[in-house]
Amino acid sequence: MSLFYDESTHWFSVEKTATNECVFLSYDGENEHIGWSKKNNETTITKANFTIEIQTNFWPEKVKCEFFYANIYINDILLRPLSQCYNNGRFSRPSHTIEMTHEDFEWAVFLREICNVCNYSDVWLNSELEKLLFKLSQDSLSIEEQIKVLTLLRDYDSKNPYFVEKYRNYFDSLLFDKETVLPLFERIFTQSECSSIETFDVIWHYIRDYKLV
């Protein structure tokens, strides 16, 4: 299974055309271990404003412990699956754009997902945001955890106006509410942890950018 890139259209594909070139080649077979050799279990593809890092840990002796990662950067910004950053009332920052284990892994699915994220990055990111906001709206979680989510979202402000507009529909009502924010500020000012200072910075920059304009 191969990944191709077209310099003229900046388009990734798993199908060969007259104008694209192979930028990644995998192999699989009944008698072969899927992927590369143990000495070459990571590769980086750089095309236009895309950087794609593909990695596996290759563990033939314990295939259930194998993982396959793809980190996709656009203009040096890592695209993260935002829908996975919040679960059960807690924030966690996803480390990889795409992550699969041996049990659910297929090169065809893996490479097609890379194409989907790269070719439709705005659509993919907005879809991830919508799934995340739906999760947030269903739960009552602490404002501190919500600020952590917002910190991650602001990494993508430059992607497109729709993205910002979408998350503002949720966070404006939260951070422009004095009854919510002022008690948080009081707690922040009585603490000296770096995390408290970072929380204040995120809130202040949000209010400055969207409320005081």
Side-chain angles (χ1 to χ4, degrees), residues 167-177 206 210-211:
Y167 76 67
R168 281 196 61 189
N169 286 334
Y170 179 87
F171 282 97
D172 277 12
S173 59
L174 179 69
L175 298 185
F176 295 166
D177 180 5
Y206 189 92
Y210 301 129
K211 180 71 171 178

Side-chain angles (χ1 to χ4, degrees), residues 42-164:
E42 183 175 357
T43 187
T44 300
I45 303 161
T46 302
K47 292 293 180 181
N49 61 339
F50 298 98
T51 299
I52 305 171
E53 298 171 347
I54 300 175
Q55 182 181 9
T56 178
N57 62 344
F58 286 123
W59 205 337
E61 297 81 9
K62 294 184 178 181
V63 292
K64 291 184 177 181
C65 299
E66 282 187 324
F67 61 75
F68 298 82
Y69 295 153
N71 291 330
I72 300 174
Y73 298 81
I74 297 183
N75 296 325
D76 297 324
I77 299 175
L78 176 61
L79 301 184
R80 302 179 193 268
L82 300 176
S83 62
Q84 299 176 24
C85 82
Y86 164 74
N87 288 290
N88 300 319
R90 301 294 296 177
F91 169 83
S92 62
R93 183 180 292 264
S95 301
H96 308 286
T97 310
I98 303 168
E99 179 177 353
M100 294 183 179
T101 61
H102 178 88
E103 292 181 339
D104 62 8
F105 183 79
E106 293 182 20
W107 277 115
V109 175
F110 186 72
L111 295 181
R112 285 194 177 98
E113 183 62 13
I114 290 176
C115 294
N116 178 56
V117 175
C118 292
N119 296 337
Y120 306 101
S121 61
D122 284 345
V123 174
W124 181 83
L125 199 59
N126 284 330
S127 175
E128 286 293 310
L129 175 61
E130 290 174 359
K131 295 174 187 176
L132 169 62
L133 293 177
F134 178 78
K135 281 185 178 181
L136 294 178
S137 67
Q138 299 301 304
D139 285 338
S140 58
L141 67 162
S142 70
I143 187 172
E144 287 86 351
E145 293 299 305
Q146 295 185 72
I147 296 304
K148 293 176 184 177
V149 172
L150 177 61
T151 302
L152 175 58
L153 297 183
R154 300 223 62 183
D155 288 346
Y156 304 102
D157 280 1
S158 61
K159 282 296 294 175
N160 62 62
Y162 176 78
F163 184 86
V164 176

Side-chain angles (χ1 to χ4, degrees), residues 147-148 188 191-201:
I147 296 304
K148 293 176 184 177
I188 289 173
Q191 299 171 349
S192 58
E193 294 93 343
C194 292
S195 59
S196 297
I197 298 173
E198 292 171 359
T199 298
F200 173 81
D201 285 343

